[in-house]
Amino acid sequence: MPSFQQRKAVGDAHEKHVAEELTARGWSVNPWGQGVLTQPVQAALCKTDSSLRWTPDLLAARGDRLTMIDCKSSMTSRATGRHAIERAAVRSHFQLVAWTELPIYYVFDNLDVLTPYDALTAGQTGPHSLSGSGAPYLLVPTTECRTFDSTFGLRKHPVAREAA
């Protein structure tokens, strides 16, 4: 099982990739969620049942349009073709959408896109995870996803890549 630091590095790289893809489509992107908190606050928050645990990773704006993005790295089964989303996150995101009146999108490694509503209506309850929090998940077929381009628009600028 990968360590927390390994999972965090994969998640950080995915957030960066999503932010680059959004920027290439004319969106302004800011980090948000637990990633902007200090480690002691993150650790304390993870020990609660607060909906703040599932605050989306990014805020993005283009013109008058504002949205929240929750980046989901390593949450897709190649064997079953389903994305996994923690049920508690979906529940918290419904509350956040109601409170903020802003949309939330889940963006997976392959840039598939789902909303909390998509996850709830198309997902099936999966088994408790053996890794991470051990919480129950919703499993959503990848065939139910929206495309990144249809959700956020086509690229206007090339995505900048760091030299290897």
Side-chain angles (χ1 to χ4, degrees), residues 128-146:
H128 286 259
S129 171
L130 299 177
S131 62
S133 67
Y137 282 78
L138 289 172
L139 303 175
V140 184
T142 57
T143 55
E144 297 293 326
C145 293
R146 305 156 193 253

Side-chain angles (χ1 to χ4, degrees), residues 45-84:
L45 188 58
C46 285
K47 293 181 174 125
T48 73
D49 288 328
S50 171
S51 292
L52 289 176
R53 286 182 63 183
W54 293 276
T55 304
D57 305 303
L58 304 171
L59 283 176
R62 185 172 70 185
D64 291 342
R65 189 172 169 203
L66 181 64
T67 189
M68 296 176 278
I69 312 288
D70 199 31
C71 301
K72 300 291 185 192
S73 57
S74 304
M75 299 300 291
T76 305
S77 168
R78 287 189 178 96
T80 64
R82 297 183 297 187
H83 295 303

Side-chain angles (χ1 to χ4, degrees), residues 78-154:
R78 287 189 178 96
T80 64
R82 297 183 297 187
H83 295 303
I85 305 167
E86 195 169 340
R87 290 179 59 86
V90 173
R91 182 179 56 249
S92 294
H93 291 153
F94 271 109
Q95 294 169 357
L96 189 56
V97 167
W99 176 57
T100 63
E101 298 183 15
L102 296 172
I104 294 177
Y105 295 100
Y106 302 124
V107 178
F108 296 87
D109 294 321
N110 64 352
L111 299 182
D112 276 353
V113 178
L114 290 168
T115 67
Y117 182 79
D118 298 333
L120 185 65
T121 58
Q124 296 177 335
T125 301
H128 286 259
S129 171
L130 299 177
S131 62
S133 67
Y137 282 78
L138 289 172
L139 303 175
V140 184
T142 57
T143 55
E144 297 293 326
C145 293
R146 305 156 193 253
T147 67
F148 198 84
D149 288 343
S150 69
T151 306
F152 300 108
L154 299 175

